[in-house]
Amino acid sequence: MRILAIDTSACPVSAALMEDGFLLGEFFLNTKTTHSQTLMPIVESLLRAAAVDIKDIDVFAVNTGPGSFTGVRIGTASVKGLSMPLDKPCASVSTLEAMAYGLPYDSGIACAVMDARCSQVYNALFRLNGHEPERLTDDRAVSIEDLADELAGYSERIYLAGDGAELCARAFDGRLTNVVLPPQNIRYQHAYGTACAAQRLIRENRLLSSDALMPLYLRLPQAERELKKKQSGGKPDQ
Amino acid sequence: MQRFLSSSPEETEQIAERLAKTLSGNEVIAMFGGLGAGKTAFTRGLARGLGAGDCVSSPTFALVNEYEGRFPIYHFDMYRVATYDDLYTTGFFDYLGSGIMVIEWSENIEGLLPDEKMTVTIRPVSEEQREITIEGAQTI
Ligand SMILES: Nc1ncnc2c1ncn2[C@@H]1O[C@H](COP(=O)(O)OP(=O)(O)O)[C@@H](O)[C@H]1O
Ligand SMILES: [Mg+2]
């Protein structure tokens, strides 16, 4: 069973190749270049270097959200395009879950956070046990303040991951002493985590056809209020 | 804060051209001022000053136009943007830091503008006169 996994959900872009649970190779780039320019060359060189033909891929996995509007669409559309002509199934992975799979800890809480702007983060919590992260919450949009309150209920170590990790670490500073900022190589989402999550989806028979693969979108109800508040409280002109 | 009085659309464009010379490539320029204030005129001068030529049109329906000058220029019109979802689906957040962002009708997204930005406020004084206030920019 070969999985080709990709992630373009935020600033980094990565692709991973997994064979029967073994990570054959991974390509990670965190430059400012547009994913539409970097993703395909990355996938191509990864496959070429690993001497794997695209026709020998059994499952195409992708982080379908949450994430940046454009990024999530580039990833989803690319995997649709790769899988469709080969008639191979797709794995739709939560970016936040992929991050939790990337944290190699045998205990503690994974707190995946992506910056959604205006003091909000896309977040989910997982319990780490050295095997498969155990989901504690749905993927959701929360204010950093509400998240801090919720995390105060956990006494074990809390590992932050995602592009909102530094933001949260700063916001939590002095309040939550059990929060840890892991090293960069595991702090950001990697397609390795996407491939790991895809393995579970395969096992649970939850793969999708290329047609059914869609970007996932989380609403930010609080941000809507924020936008309106500033509007009415703003300049009185016109 | 810098304040200018413009007596014609051409003069408004020239002020914008001068501002363009001070830009380094990833600024957010939030424009304020009602319908017909001269925001699109200002953007036209800005794009010309950035070497993009005469390419500016109002993105009211497209939401964002892209021009290629010395730097990429992303020209937004937030007139129809009312919610976070609207803004998210223009890809607005994804453009941040990748070029110069010029935003007409910034009033509509004031709560979601980044802290690091320039503001350009255009106030009609008479039919032909505009008071242009620029904040957060180098002296032009
Ligand atoms: N000093 C001035 N600066 C800019 N525009 C002016 C000025 N005087 C008159 N105008 C007119 O005002 C209108 C501005 O239009 P436009 O730039 O499309 O405004 P906006 O984009 O703010 O709605 C144009 O018809 C222009 O000819
Ligand atoms: Mg206009």
Side-chain angles (χ1 to χ4, degrees):
Chain A
M1 171 71 72
R2 290 201 188 87
I3 303 171
L4 176 68
I6 67 167
D7 168 67
T8 54
S9 59
C11 216
V13 48
S14 61
L17 197 55
M18 191 172 264
E19 189 175 61
D20 300 326
F22 182 79
L23 180 66
L24 280 181
E26 186 175 38
F27 198 142
F28 175 91
L29 205 62
N30 200 1
T31 60
K32 295 261 183 234
T33 324
T34 329
H35 298 329
S36 57
Q37 287 166 29
T38 48
L39 179 65
M40 282 309 151
I42 282 175
V43 167
E44 256 192 310
S45 37
L46 176 64
L47 289 172
R48 194 176 318 116
V52 170
D53 195 293
I54 186 104
K55 292 193 193 70
D56 298 325
I57 300 296
D58 300 298
V59 172
F60 291 85
V62 60
N63 290 341
T64 46
S68 93
F69 177 78
T70 319
V72 161
R73 268 150 194 82
I74 290 172
T76 308
S78 301
V79 158
K80 260 183 197 285
L82 290 170
S83 60
M84 202 173 280
L86 302 169
D87 201 21
K88 294 289 172 63
C90 303
S92 170
V93 174
S94 149
T95 313
L96 300 166
E97 195 166 316
M99 286 183 207
Y101 274 97
L103 293 171
Y105 298 105
D106 60 4
S107 63
I109 303 294
C111 175
V113 278
M114 301 179 78
D115 187 2
R117 314 275 164 184
C118 46
S119 308
Q120 310 263 318
V121 284
Y122 300 121
N123 163 260
L125 301 178
F126 303 84
R127 189 176 300 283
L128 299 171
N129 52 31
H131 306 289
E132 298 207 309
E134 177 200 338
R135 189 178 268 281
L136 299 176
T137 71
D138 284 335
D139 288 2
R140 61 213 172 144
V142 285
S143 75
I144 295 175
E145 281 313 303
D146 288 350
L147 181 59
D149 290 344
E150 189 176 334
L151 290 177
Y154 293 94
S155 55
E156 52 267 74
R157 286 211 168 177
I158 299 167
Y159 300 99
L160 295 174
D163 65 9
E166 291 90 349
L167 187 72
C168 286
R170 271 197 307 276
F172 300 161
D173 192 34
R175 284 191 285 176
L176 298 164
T177 49
N178 51 337
V179 165
V180 180
L181 200 57
Q184 268 192 48
N185 64 329
I186 54 173
R187 190 183 310 164
Y188 305 115
Q189 63 271 40
H190 277 63
Y192 164 72
T194 313
C196 294
Q199 288 187 296
R200 210 200 66 228
L201 293 171
I202 293 167
R203 220 175 45 234
E204 295 174 356
N205 230 335
R206 289 165 57 201
L207 296 181
L208 300 174
S209 67
S210 319
D211 280 344
L213 194 72
M214 294 287 268
L216 300 178
Y217 179 48
L218 290 176
R219 296 185 73 84
L220 265 82
Q222 238 160 322
E224 217 126 299
R225 283 205 294 277
E226 178 94 351
L227 178 70
K228 295 210 171 99
K229 185 183 73 195
K230 290 271 174 62
Q231 253 175 279
S232 54
K235 303 182 176 178
D237 55 6
Q238 273 107 43
Chain B
M1 190 166 80
Q2 306 172 66
R3 190 164 276 152
F4 305 88
L5 198 64
S6 157
S7 308
S8 67
E10 292 72 30
E11 210 175 311
T12 297
E13 290 179 31
Q14 280 159 18
I15 293 164
E17 275 186 67
R18 278 158 59 197
L19 177 65
K21 302 286 181 253
T22 70
L23 301 178
S24 63
N26 52 16
E27 284 88 352
V28 172
I29 304 174
M31 307 224 297
F32 295 85
L35 193 69
K39 301 180 295 296
T40 301
F42 192 92
T43 308
R44 189 169 296 122
L46 203 72
R48 191 182 307 125
L50 287 166
D54 268 315
C55 54
V56 169
S57 61
S58 181
T60 308
F61 297 101
L63 296 173
V64 53
N65 288 344
E66 303 190 10
Y67 315 120
E68 211 42 63
R70 257 189 305 134
F71 313 109
I73 306 160
Y74 304 110
H75 180 195
F76 288 84
D77 189 321
M78 300 302 180
Y79 186 69
R80 293 153 165 278
V81 171
T83 65
Y84 176 94
D85 286 3
D86 290 348
L87 188 63
Y88 174 82
T89 54
T90 63
F92 177 79
F93 299 125
D94 307 336
Y95 286 96
L96 288 167
S98 64
I100 291 172
M101 295 172 66
V102 189
I103 307 158
E104 296 195 35
W105 288 103
S106 287
E107 288 89 340
N108 285 357
I109 61 156
E110 212 174 343
L112 294 170
L113 288 169
D115 294 336
E116 184 108 355
K117 60 178 176 292
M118 293 180 189
T119 65
V120 174
T121 308
I122 308 181
R123 196 174 64 84
V125 180
S126 68
E127 191 67 26
E128 290 288 299
Q129 284 199 319
R130 302 289 187 272
E131 183 195 67
I132 301 175
T133 310
I134 303 178
E135 282 169 282
Q138 292 173 37
T139 308
I140 68 172

